Amino acid sequence: MVSVKRSKFFRLFFSYLILGFMMVIIIYPLLWTVGASFNPGNSLVSTSMIPKNPTLDHYRELFAGKQSLQYVQWFKNSIKISIFTMVGTLISVAFTGYAFSRFRFKGRKNGLTLFLLLQMIPQFSALVALFVLAQLLGMMNSHWLLIFLYIGGQIPMNTYLLKGYMDTIPMDLDESAKIDGASNTRIFFQIILPLSKPMLAVVAMNGFTGPLGDFVLSSTILRTPESYTLPIGLYNLVNDVMGASYTTFAAGAILISIPIALLFVLLQKNFVNGLTAGGTKG
């Protein structure tokens, strides 16, 4: 009995130790970023995690409207691209996930295999082709081209996620609805989609956060300061050798997290329901 309690104690101890270590790895850089955003000056050398003389100057600078720092415009561009990408991803992935989950058609297996292979190809490997495509279409600096590219890039992975979740919804529901005269369209909108809300929330989160964290593709398509997204604009703050401002960069990076946090709070209920449902299935 004593050995069992001791074994349980050590398992819990090491579990909490690993969790604590992971929390430190995640929270420590975040605390440094927050602290740097309130430190005076532009260099990280003189900054500290807890500022001795905290200031809001860097946040004011972001919204001062300087020609070289169009933070508000970059923020609007990023939010617009993220929202349209999220909506487009939800619509397209809902249809593809439902089709692969509920229908058996010629090329289904090959389609799933293709989606799996597309996930393995790095995004930057297609940059030259996408750059040439943008020039041929005359859509350089086009947010809409970037949105369509993001949506296309989100489809393979999220289709796999949604298909796997829809596979757990019993086919008996579809068959019962068809006996009552429901069409596939009605089953999709009134049965499958409401039951898939937890995974749709995950897809929405992926679609929204993807553009906010992308630099490589957006910097290839967007070339003028007015069309920049936040990753490009903030990168230019620290890329200038003579005028690099790391503390202003930190302030801008902190503000990026606000819309992501708000969306997470709005979708949190669906995340919890999805985890609960997944734990009680079977």
Side-chain angles (χ1 to χ4, degrees), residues 24-101:
V24 170
I25 292 177
I26 295 172
I27 295 176
Y28 183 74
L30 179 61
L31 292 178
W32 261 107
T33 305
V34 173
S37 69
F38 290 104
N39 272 275
N42 295 325
S43 175
L44 290 178
V45 177
S46 59
T47 60
S48 58
M49 186 181 298
I50 303 177
K52 295 181 180 179
N53 299 304
T55 177
L56 293 174
D57 289 345
H58 305 304
Y59 290 94
R60 296 191 188 99
E61 184 180 354
L62 293 175
F63 297 95
K66 294 182 180 179
Q67 185 65 28
S68 58
L69 184 57
Q70 304 177 41
Y71 186 82
V72 176
Q73 183 62 42
W74 300 339
F75 199 95
K76 290 179 180 178
N77 293 342
S78 293
I79 295 299
K80 180 184 79 171
I81 293 172
S82 293
I83 289 176
F84 279 105
T85 300
M86 178 182 67
V87 173
T89 300
L90 276 173
I91 294 173
S92 57
V93 170
F95 285 111
T96 55
Y98 177 67
F100 281 114
S101 175

Side-chain angles (χ1 to χ4, degrees), residues 202-229:
V202 175
V203 173
M205 198 71 185
N206 290 339
F208 187 83
T209 57
L212 286 177
D214 175 68
F215 171 79
V216 177
L217 181 58
S218 57
S219 61
T220 303
I221 304 298
L222 306 177
R223 295 306 181 95
T224 60
E226 294 79 14
S227 64
Y228 282 172
T229 56

Side-chain angles (χ1 to χ4, degrees), residues 17-18 43 56 80-81 94 119 133 136 141 154 223 254 272:
L17 184 64
I18 294 173
S43 175
L56 293 174
K80 180 184 79 171
I81 293 172
Q119 296 180 60
L133 176 65
L136 292 176
N141 288 313
Q154 293 272 347
R223 295 306 181 95
I254 293 298
V272 174

